[in-house]
Amino acid sequence: MHIAVIGTGYVGLVSGACLADFGMKVTCVDINEEKIKKLKKGEVPFYEPGLEELVKKNLKAERLFFTTRLDEAVKNSLVIFICVGTPSKPDGSADLSQIKSVALSLAEIIDDYKVIVTKSTVPVGTNRWIKSLIDANKKSNAPVDVISNPEFLREGAAVEDFMHPDRVIIGGESSYAIAIIKDIYRPLYLAETPFIITNLETAELIKYASNAFLATKITFINEIANFCEKVGADVTVVSKGMGLDPRIGPKFLNPGPGFGGSCFPKDVRALIHQGKTSNSPFKLLEAVIEVNEKQKLRAIEKLRELCGDLKGKTIAVLGLSFKPNTSDVRESPALTIIPELLKAGAKVKAYDPAAIEEFKKIVKDKVIYASSPLECVRDTDALLILTEWNEFRFLDLSQIKKLMKTPVLVDMRNIYEPSVLKNLGFKYSGIGRKVIA
Ligand code: UGA
């Protein structure tokens, strides 16, 4: 089976490399020449655990190919995966310009039956629109079928998620095309992964509804955490107690500095927009976005509670990526919190194991970048932990206390025990737990 994958972002590249690993011949296409040049040498332009090894292995086995030529990739492929970006427009709706341009290019090229599979997260109705665009503009009489096959890959665990998914969603109208896609995912089917075969609209909405639900779950626990602080409850125990109910489940009940990343904020906004235009508003999701924006500022409030006025203070920030195991800083809480600290007149020193380069592109040299956690905390008035990288879980706190001007720790991921910090003589504020002042 020959497959083309359009777009080599983390979804396209992970999908391409994993499908090649399943034994298929996969050609990945991207318009970015520099990126393709690197990928041909096996260099992955972003940090995603296990991906570079997989790309190298399948390049060597001659199952994975890279090109900037869409026609070359499409010519021999029966199935074409669309994995291009659908970023937010200023009104919150999904920008479908990349999807449109791919559909129009495909219409020019296709001269044989093809199955076009959309993996990009697209508003309900988009797959039908893609088919009508191709049908209206195609140069040949070759038929095309479209399939919606949304991805559920978490950054930082994307290879694992592709190889061991909780479910595979296939939306479509042609039973022939559905059978072809089922065949591609046969290794997962054999491993008893649940498959849901449904119509296009339902498949498209499963993706949005899943992300919106998870974002809501996080936002719910963030509000519970804020309430815990007022009434003397401990959110970590509340989460545990709630999560033991199988109807609720323990995952995504960890409070934090607000959700970020390239998916949740964008997808929740896009679903709100779809609700508005369909006259079926999502009031709950509007509140999720509002509460999440406020949640990011909790870190600043906590620093003020423990340090007073932040003007002239130096704050060490550990964690710039929106979550661990990624260099991605898109919509990272650090991108809101650090500029707020600077606005309040504080100096910021920051460290992250992988995301400094990406963060620098946006915040530039307004921040002092450190090369280790210990260097970051030296001569600072407070330490703020924003991302729960493993590297931050076992810091030498006695050493940190010696290096800091004043031992203050604001832990927005609850990776430390308040009692331990108290014994060490720190002022400590986690999230949704007892504050040690
Ligand atoms: C998310 C979904 O989890 C994937 O299933 C989906 O495929 C992907 O979006 C996508 O649409 O492409 P991702 O954005 O990589 O994946 O990250 P998550 O691990 O879901 O975390 C999102 C945000 O929620 C992070 O900022 C994280 O710190 C935050 N979070 C997560 C919490 O604050 N608390 C939690 O308990 C869990």
Side-chain angles (χ1 to χ4, degrees):
M1 174 92 73
H2 285 254
I3 292 174
V5 175
I6 307 175
T8 58
Y10 95 103
V11 173
L13 195 54
V14 169
S15 305
C18 291
L19 289 171
D21 212 56
F22 285 171
M24 275 154 265
K25 295 250 182 212
V26 180
T27 307
C28 295
V29 202
D30 204 293
I31 46 176
N32 184 332
E33 287 185 18
E34 204 48 44
K35 207 169 172 188
I36 291 296
K37 225 195 248 168
K38 283 193 172 152
L39 285 167
K40 279 183 174 171
K41 288 189 270 176
E43 291 168 25
V44 172
F46 51 87
Y47 178 70
E48 184 62 46
L51 185 56
E52 194 154 291
E53 292 85 326
L54 207 64
V55 167
K56 286 203 164 103
K57 176 182 160 198
N58 285 285
L59 269 173
K60 201 169 162 209
E62 296 189 348
R63 288 191 296 260
L64 184 60
F65 306 90
F66 294 99
T67 178
T68 52
R69 298 271 309 269
L70 184 66
D71 54 344
E72 239 174 48
V74 166
K75 195 170 53 193
N76 297 319
S77 301
L78 171 61
V79 179
I80 299 154
F81 281 90
I82 302 182
C83 301
V84 296
T86 53
S88 274
K89 289 209 277 200
D91 65 357
S93 62
D95 179 349
L96 296 178
S97 53
Q98 291 181 57
I99 295 273
K100 184 174 178 186
S101 132
V102 167
L104 292 176
S105 306
L106 288 175
E108 291 277 327
I109 298 167
I110 287 172
D111 58 3
D112 203 356
Y113 174 68
K114 305 284 177 195
V115 184
I116 317 277
V117 186
T118 310
K119 267 210 172 290
S120 307
T121 303
V122 291
V124 180
T126 304
N127 275 282
R128 220 170 268 288
W129 173 70
I130 292 173
K131 176 155 170 64
S132 63
L133 259 184
I134 296 178
D135 282 345
N137 292 283
K138 67 187 179 195
K139 294 278 175 287
S140 78
N141 287 329
V144 294
D145 280 319
V146 291
I147 293 283
S148 167
N149 172 225
E151 55 81 20
F152 300 95
L153 310 176
R154 288 164 304 163
E155 282 185 35
V159 173
E160 168 69 18
D161 283 350
F162 195 98
M163 297 291 196
H164 305 282
D166 299 320
R167 73 290 210 194
V168 172
I169 309 293
I170 301 175
E173 289 187 328
S174 146
S175 46
Y176 180 59
I178 290 171
I180 291 172
I181 304 310
K182 267 177 92 175
D183 194 40
I184 287 181
Y185 286 116
R186 197 174 25 170
L188 303 177
Y189 199 63
L190 296 175
E192 298 192 356
T193 302
F195 275 52
I196 291 190
I197 311 294
T198 184
N199 65 23
L200 291 168
E201 289 76 11
T202 308
E204 289 165 336
L205 186 54
I206 287 172
K207 167 68 193 218
Y208 277 108
S210 301
N211 273 3
F213 184 82
L214 292 172
T216 305
K217 198 172 178 188
I218 297 166
T219 306
F220 179 83
I221 204 65
N222 282 341
E223 282 206 316
I224 291 286
N226 297 340
F227 181 67
C228 283
E229 289 173 14
K230 302 274 184 206
V231 298
D234 183 334
V235 74
T236 56
V237 186
V238 173
S239 289
K240 201 169 178 190
M242 287 171 64
L244 286 169
D245 182 334
R247 291 170 302 174
I248 298 174
K251 294 185 177 159
F252 280 67
L253 278 183
N254 299 312
F259 61 77
S262 63
C263 307
F264 285 176
K266 159 179 92 75
D267 292 350
V268 174
R269 283 190 213 112
L271 189 54
I272 292 172
H273 191 271
Q274 292 170 63
K276 273 192 192 138
T277 54
S278 306
N279 200 19
S280 179
F282 286 106
K283 288 280 171 218
L284 180 62
L285 297 182
E286 283 173 19
V288 165
I289 292 290
E290 192 189 322
V291 172
N292 194 56
E293 285 311 308
K294 264 178 76 187
Q295 186 67 13
K296 296 180 190 168
L297 302 176
R298 284 293 293 141
I300 311 273
E301 290 165 16
K302 283 174 175 293
L303 284 168
R304 286 209 171 100
E305 279 160 24
L306 296 184
C307 306
D309 189 1
L310 296 176
K311 194 157 184 220
K313 300 265 161 60
T314 306
I315 312 295
V317 176
L318 291 184
L320 299 173
S321 56
F322 78 101
K323 67 173 201 175
N325 299 324
T326 176
S327 54
D328 198 339
V329 299
R330 283 177 287 177
E331 305 237 13
S332 174
L335 279 175
T336 302
I337 295 164
I338 290 179
E340 278 300 320
L341 285 172
L342 297 172
K343 226 190 320 169
K347 259 212 247 159
V348 175
K349 287 174 84 179
Y351 171 74
D352 188 285
I356 290 179
E357 285 314 310
E358 291 302 313
F359 197 80
K360 243 187 205 171
K361 286 183 194 161
I362 304 166
V363 175
K364 311 270 172 6
D365 286 332
K366 290 180 212 139
V367 167
I368 302 162
Y369 298 96
S371 58
S372 71
L374 289 182
E375 191 199 314
C376 186
V377 300
R378 188 187 295 279
D379 295 327
T380 56
D381 296 281
L383 166 58
L384 171 64
I385 298 180
L386 290 180
T387 319
E388 70 280 31
W389 283 92
N390 277 341
E391 174 174 345
F392 303 155
R393 290 179 188 272
F394 295 99
L395 295 171
D396 182 344
L397 293 169
S398 309
Q399 177 71 3
I400 285 186
K401 191 179 168 202
K402 279 189 206 141
L403 289 170
M404 291 179 77
K405 273 199 268 182
T406 47
V408 172
L409 172 52
V410 171
D411 173 9
M412 293 303 287
R413 298 287 182 174
N414 283 343
I415 58 179
Y416 285 102
E417 267 308 312
S419 57
V420 173
L421 272 289
K422 186 180 179 182
N423 290 341
L424 284 167
F426 271 83
K427 284 189 184 179
Y428 174 85
S429 180
I431 174 148
R433 313 170 91 180
K434 193 168 174 338
V435 176
I436 297 177

